[in-house]
Amino acid sequence: MFNPNDNKFDKLDKVFEPFPSGRHLVFVSDAKPFVAKSGSTAVEFEFTIHDPSSAYRGKTLRFARFWLGEKSLWRLARLCRSCSNPVGAFDPSDSRSVEDALLDRILVIEVEHKVETYEGKQRNREEVKSTEQPTKQDLARLREEFGETMLPPVSDEDGFEDGPLDAPKPGNDDTDIPF
């Protein structure tokens, strides 16, 4: 039984820290089509800091949108060209096509913090200012840490647990969820 008043679920000891500004070696941990209320379309990314030598390793930047309008499509093209492995043609309106083309791609992003006014309120946000290909040294560090795939193993919540996942234990699956 779930009791929302049980304080064991509180994470008050964790303080929100925004994604750090600056240059970061990342991989694309999620990518999908996005449609705004206005009808404008984009590809929405989630980037995870991948650099083994970074103090921010595992930190995730979510909701980074690369708009598909004629005037801004160059940003998505630059991102695709910045990946360590070539990205082929894909349909930005199809989820499977976007995932197949962009998931787990490694690149370098430069992030800057901005303050914007939205519906009369000021809010902070992080924006991907630029993208670039990883250097040979960046890729060498990843190969040394993760092997030829240069990607972290599938793992627990923090994204960087060593070793294979254990097989599910009986009763610890979602088959008992009543919907």
Side-chain angles (χ1 to χ4, degrees), residues 49-110:
I49 297 179
H50 190 39
D51 192 339
S53 64
S54 173
Y56 302 107
R57 179 177 161 183
K59 187 88 172 146
T60 301
L61 174 62
R62 293 182 174 93
F63 313 118
R65 295 183 183 134
F66 285 71
W67 297 98
L68 301 176
E70 190 175 322
K71 291 183 179 180
S72 56
L73 200 52
W74 65 271
R75 293 183 68 231
L76 180 60
R78 180 180 285 170
L79 180 144
C80 292
R81 292 179 193 135
S82 296
C83 294
S84 60
N85 293 327
V87 175
F90 64 95
D91 178 359
S93 64
D94 178 57
S95 293
R96 174 53 75 203
S97 182
V98 170
E99 287 177 3
D100 289 347
L102 297 167
L103 224 49
D104 292 336
R105 299 296 179 158
I106 299 168
L107 67 152
V108 173
I109 61 173
E110 186 173 342

Side-chain angles (χ1 to χ4, degrees), residues 4-72:
N5 298 313
D6 188 342
N7 64 0
K8 74 179 182 183
F9 300 111
D10 292 348
K11 291 189 175 184
L12 299 176
D13 58 334
K14 292 193 174 192
V15 176
F16 173 75
E17 295 178 22
F19 193 87
S21 60
R23 181 186 184 275
H24 301 285
L25 179 60
V26 299
F27 73 97
V28 178
S29 47
D30 194 17
K32 59 188 170 218
F34 173 81
V35 180
K37 291 177 187 176
S38 67
S40 298
T41 56
V43 175
E44 185 173 81
F45 287 88
E46 177 180 284
F47 298 106
T48 301
I49 297 179
H50 190 39
D51 192 339
S53 64
S54 173
Y56 302 107
R57 179 177 161 183
K59 187 88 172 146
T60 301
L61 174 62
R62 293 182 174 93
F63 313 118
R65 295 183 183 134
F66 285 71
W67 297 98
L68 301 176
E70 190 175 322
K71 291 183 179 180
S72 56

